[in-house]
Amino acid sequence: MTSAKHRRPVRIGNASGFYGDRIAAFREMVDGGPVDVITGDYLAELTMLILWKARKKDPDAGYAKTFLTQMQQVLVDCVDKNIKIVVNAGGLNPAGLAAQVRKLAAELGVDVAVAHVEGDDIHPHLADLQAQGHRLRHLDKGIDLAAVDVDPVSANVYLGGWGIAAALAGGADIVICPRVTDASLVVGASAWWHGWKRHDFDALAGSVLAGHIIECGPQATGGNYSQIHEVIDRRYPGFPIAEVAHDGSFVITKHPGTGGLVSVGTVTAQVLYEVDHPQYLNPDVVAHFDTAVVEQEDATRVRVSNVKGSPPPTTLKVAMNYVGGFRNTMTMVLTGLDIEEKANWATDELFEILGGRDAFDDVDIQLLRFDSSDPATTAQSTAHLRVTVKDRDRNKVDRAFSGAVMELALGGYAGFHTTTPPSSATEFGVYWPALVPATEVDHVVVHDDGSRETIPHTPGVPDARSTDSTTVSSPPASNPGPTTRRPLGAVAAARSGDKGGKANVGVWTDTEDRWAWLWGHLTVEKFAELVPEAAGLRVRRHEFPNLRALNFVIDGFLGDGVASSTRPDAQAKGLGEYLRARYTPVPDALVNP
């Protein structure tokens, strides 16, 4: 029998990047070519709150129902082709989803072994944990949970991949996971396939990066990619496949005949997506993303190697959500001349009707300027005044608020109209990230026969988490020459996203000369100048020299997370493209080499 060390790479295709992603992706992954494992990522911080709301209405809910739709379409073929399935679609009820999959399999007449993972849900134990002295301190704000008057509705620890590996080793064909880390789906499948040990940190780190790259589906294959001119095939991108070798190196590719692009750029973009420090912490290993070497192997294959790993931290991250209250937003349209004066009048008049801004827990007012001088069309003469109010009392922000906005229709500024009719209040959640000792969490696999296996945690290193900026030993040599004010995007690509209340923007370039200039030019101070909305917030810069990349992290840019953010772009998806559009002195030689 061939030893695990010399087994061929495992082909892992990811067919879901979020709850609501392309339903047909599973079918396309099964039909498009050979794969050994199909993974699916359905969870995010916001998704856990959505699933909690669903379970409030139906105690048997709490999982991603779209996964069952996909299994209806492909389960028979997956069994015929011996394709394993590993997903985190279990959400808040992995046992319930596992039972539904078994029921579906019986209806389809196929025999599958379904295991699920438990232990992430520590909500029932929060009071005991705090009584034992665990402070559940907010990772970004440094506030103890006990110091605020809130009652979390969900609390889920990010588990690692060894439970998945144990489930597969126990004969599972399908592994239903709750809140494991996004990368754990690939880590567990790779560790099972290759027979890795707990201390194979470099191999594990490589699989973490592979999982991170493919977790968001076609974002790694040309989707959401700033270098749009490079994407020649504009058909819907093929979902990504990671071919993970025994040493943790891997190739990113996609099925033949599918749209999109697999390039050093598309892979680099996803490496930088939603990251903070280059030391990327997972429950099984700390993966040092800045050690990765990314190379084009052929037209549709990118090889990633040299990823270094070190022991994990002794703590696990826990994502909590609590109900922050109720919110409502109305957007008034301002047209033509005197936009700012109209906005000021509308604001003053509105809050005179409502009894002042202090009548609400929180008020957010944004004037969004789309107007231009001598507009050619009506649309080009308009701006939006977006007013959001929040309060623990629903009545204050319900129709009492949106109705007050409509009172300005005949007694306010000229041209008044709104983008929507009067709206009703909605409940919003607040995200609270914290740490708990790994020893306080029971990571359990429930095998198909009902037997339970407790998964030990890998011995870790105390406080392996680092938030300091990184440096290189010396700045790259740069002799830029004459400059002209141009968009930063003339010489740099970007990808941005959210991490709780933080936003991150990864910026990279493609030649050594451009990297030398970017390294010296795009300082924290220059970034803050180009992104004025970051004023007053902590901005950190991390360096990825192997990728010719910088990563900027803005603390608090999204407030208390996506569910409560009042920004029009609540997940900072467009922040990178905004940065690329900003003008700055760019060396002429770098634009026209």
Side-chain angles (χ1 to χ4, degrees), residues 255-419:
H255 280 321
T258 56
L261 171 70
V262 181
S263 70
V264 168
T266 66
V267 171
T268 297
Q270 192 57 24
V271 172
L272 297 171
Y273 181 63
E274 294 183 347
V275 300
D276 195 325
H277 197 280
Q279 296 177 26
Y280 192 81
L281 276 62
N282 257 243
D284 307 314
V285 64
V286 175
H288 299 261
F289 281 7
D290 53 343
T291 61
V293 174
V294 182
E295 303 167 295
Q296 194 80 38
E297 188 174 87
D298 66 26
T300 60
R301 295 172 63 83
V302 169
R303 178 171 295 279
V304 181
S305 60
N306 197 56
V307 184
K308 302 303 180 185
S310 56
T314 56
T315 53
L316 298 175
K317 183 177 178 180
V318 55
M320 289 179 279
N321 287 287
Y322 66 87
V323 176
F326 301 89
R327 63 187 288 174
N328 203 346
T329 298
M330 287 290 290
T331 300
M332 293 167 270
V333 181
L334 314 169
T335 308
L337 304 177
D338 308 316
I339 293 294
E340 291 190 8
E341 188 171 357
K342 289 173 180 174
N344 290 335
W345 184 17
T347 301
D348 291 343
E349 195 173 17
L350 175 61
F351 284 98
E352 177 188 351
I353 296 168
L354 291 169
R357 299 190 190 197
D358 292 342
F360 302 94
D361 290 342
D362 188 34
V363 173
D364 181 78
I365 301 171
Q366 299 179 46
L367 178 58
L368 309 176
R369 300 296 297 263
F370 312 121
D371 54 303
S372 59
S373 60
D374 192 18
T377 65
T378 304
Q380 292 173 358
S381 72
T382 61
H384 285 178
L385 180 62
R386 190 171 187 266
V387 181
T388 301
V389 290
K390 295 180 179 179
D391 204 273
R392 283 162 288 186
D393 183 348
R394 180 175 194 140
N395 292 328
K396 288 184 181 180
V397 298
D398 202 38
R399 290 304 181 98
F401 164 70
S402 56
V405 172
M406 301 311 296
E407 291 184 29
L408 274 60
L410 304 182
Y413 63 85
F416 173 94
H417 59 286
T418 60
T419 58

Side-chain angles (χ1 to χ4, degrees), residues 488 496 503-505 507 522-537 539 552 554 557 567 572 574-583:
L488 179 65
S496 58
N504 93 292
V505 186
V507 185
L522 197 57
T523 60
V524 167
E525 292 73 23
K526 174 59 71 172
F527 180 90
E529 175 188 324
L530 296 176
V531 184
E533 291 168 281
L537 300 174
V539 178
F552 293 88
I554 315 170
F557 192 78
R567 290 186 176 274
L575 184 57
E577 291 304 281
Y578 166 71
L579 177 64
R580 293 183 66 245
R582 295 286 282 154
Y583 275 60

Side-chain angles (χ1 to χ4, degrees), residues 14 16-22 41-44 47 66 215-217 236:
N14 184 50
S16 177
F18 66 98
Y19 189 12
D21 204 356
R22 183 176 174 87
D41 179 18
Y42 296 80
L43 302 183
T47 316
T66 51
E215 71 185 51
C216 286
Y236 198 90

